[in-house]
Amino acid sequence: MDVTLHLAQDPAADELLGRSPLAALTGMLLDQQVPMEWAFKGPRTIADRLGAEDLDAHDIAVMDPEAFGALLSEKPAVHRYPGSMAKRVQQLCQYVVEHYDGNAELVWKGVTDGRELLKRLQELPGFGKQKAQIFLALLGKQLGVRPEGWREAAGSYGDADSFRSVADITGPESLTKVRAFKQETKAAAKAAKSAGK
């Protein structure tokens, strides 16, 4: 993996996301209840605070949970909920160590079927179906990981020329479009809920 991503809108953070499979997975894990850029800047912040160039699943998996939680809680915090997200990041790293020998890229490397890749992503701690589909779309659209049937497995997130998720962000303009799509979707859901009362 060595591509240029634009998810954090921060050159150092995006550089790490583009070369580190574990950083990309961690950014996706953090992407909830905070702005996307904040979530995807998280892996760089964690690496910096660990004094490392990259995230190491083995190291993070065995860190003292309180110490790791404190690391994510330092100002500025890595997430709105740094304590609970620290636990999730450690669970993700422990899973990657246990199932993929600490190499996050093995989650998708050599997988030839989109449904199988989706299944593997959904097995990761903290990855429900939607998060797994978005990450699968990111792999296919921007990281060149395209097993047969990947677009179908990614659902609507795999659609070409769409602006639904982080998978479609390639710069500030597409970020604006994705944000607008999310706001429209939220407004439509709210209107539907009100109509159903």
Side-chain angles (χ1 to χ4, degrees):
M1 236 173 80
D2 194 12
V3 298
T4 302
L5 294 178
H6 301 279
L7 306 179
Q9 304 289 304
D10 171 280
D14 283 328
E15 184 275 330
L16 178 61
L17 295 169
R19 70 174 162 82
S20 169
L22 183 58
L25 276 177
T26 301
M28 191 72 229
L29 179 69
L30 295 170
D31 187 22
Q32 58 188 56
Q33 299 178 310
V34 294
M36 288 177 277
E37 306 93 309
W38 185 4
F40 283 95
K41 194 173 179 179
R44 176 80 263 169
T45 304
I46 295 168
D48 288 346
R49 290 179 185 174
L50 289 170
E53 280 302 306
D54 194 355
L55 300 182
D56 184 300
H58 292 280
D59 292 346
I60 294 171
V62 297
M63 274 187 80
D64 173 68
E66 282 187 30
F68 192 64
L71 187 99
L72 270 67
S73 299
E74 281 176 32
K75 302 281 186 232
V78 169
H79 194 274
R80 179 178 291 153
Y81 304 106
S84 63
M85 293 314 286
K87 283 185 193 132
R88 287 189 178 190
V89 171
Q90 279 198 290
Q91 288 167 347
L92 175 65
C93 289
Q94 288 160 354
Y95 187 90
V96 168
V97 167
E98 190 179 324
H99 296 272
Y100 298 103
D101 198 29
N103 183 351
E105 189 176 22
L106 295 180
V107 174
W108 56 84
K109 194 172 185 180
V111 178
T112 57
D113 179 76
R115 287 179 310 231
E116 171 61 23
L117 180 49
L118 179 64
K119 180 176 169 282
R120 284 183 175 207
L121 290 167
Q122 282 185 260
E123 288 169 353
L124 296 171
F127 277 67
K129 184 175 183 185
Q130 183 180 36
K131 194 177 283 282
Q133 286 184 312
I134 292 170
F135 194 79
L136 176 53
L138 177 66
L139 287 170
K141 290 179 175 184
Q142 296 197 47
L143 300 172
V145 177
R146 300 181 180 116
E148 192 163 330
W150 72 270
R151 282 192 191 274
E152 294 76 12
S156 58
Y157 299 107
D159 293 349
D161 304 316
S162 66
F163 295 96
R164 291 181 183 276
S165 72
V166 297
D168 305 306
I169 297 172
T170 55
E173 189 180 315
S174 52
L175 173 63
T176 302
K177 290 180 180 178
V178 168
R179 202 162 261 141
F181 174 82
K182 286 183 175 234
Q183 287 168 344
E184 287 166 23
T185 305
K186 212 177 253 184
K190 197 173 181 181
K193 192 175 178 183
S194 295
K197 281 186 180 175

